[in-house]
Amino acid sequence: MNKNLDQKIRRYKAMEKHRMMVRNGQLKAAKLMLRLLRTGSVSLGLDDDSWAVEATCEELGCRLFYDSRGNRATAYL
């Protein structure tokens, strides 16, 4: 598949996940997903909302990079 098309599909799926988080009341996680959509990257910590976004990013196939200490992850769309 075309690289640009893959990015667009991933972005559309991330928008769908954001909508589902808002509908389910996970507003802080939805805010993190929105930041990922706006800027193309988001820094995630060790809290539950960051974990939910990290699991979603893994499901979508986003690139994840972990801090050397393991307490911070950065997801790129």
Side-chain angles (χ1 to χ4, degrees):
M1 236 190 232
N2 190 356
K3 181 181 176 185
N4 195 18
L5 183 60
D6 286 339
Q7 289 176 345
K8 288 181 181 179
I9 291 171
R10 189 178 304 124
R11 181 173 287 278
Y12 179 75
K13 288 181 180 179
M15 287 180 200
E16 284 293 319
K17 293 290 185 177
H18 172 262
R19 285 188 211 116
M20 291 307 296
M21 286 177 178
V22 170
R23 287 181 185 152
N24 292 334
Q26 299 173 336
L27 299 180
K28 189 174 177 194
K31 185 177 180 180
L32 289 171
M33 282 298 292
L34 185 62
R35 184 176 299 148
L36 175 65
L37 287 165
R38 270 194 351 245
T39 64
S41 67
V42 66
S43 182
L44 303 169
L46 295 174
D47 57 323
D48 292 339
D49 296 315
S50 294
W51 182 84
V53 172
E54 183 179 348
T56 302
C57 287
E58 286 177 356
E59 182 181 316
L60 294 173
C62 297
R63 293 173 295 155
L64 290 168
F65 294 100
Y66 296 95
D67 190 357
S68 62
R69 294 182 184 133
N71 59 359
R72 176 110 5 227
T74 305
Y76 294 96
L77 195 58

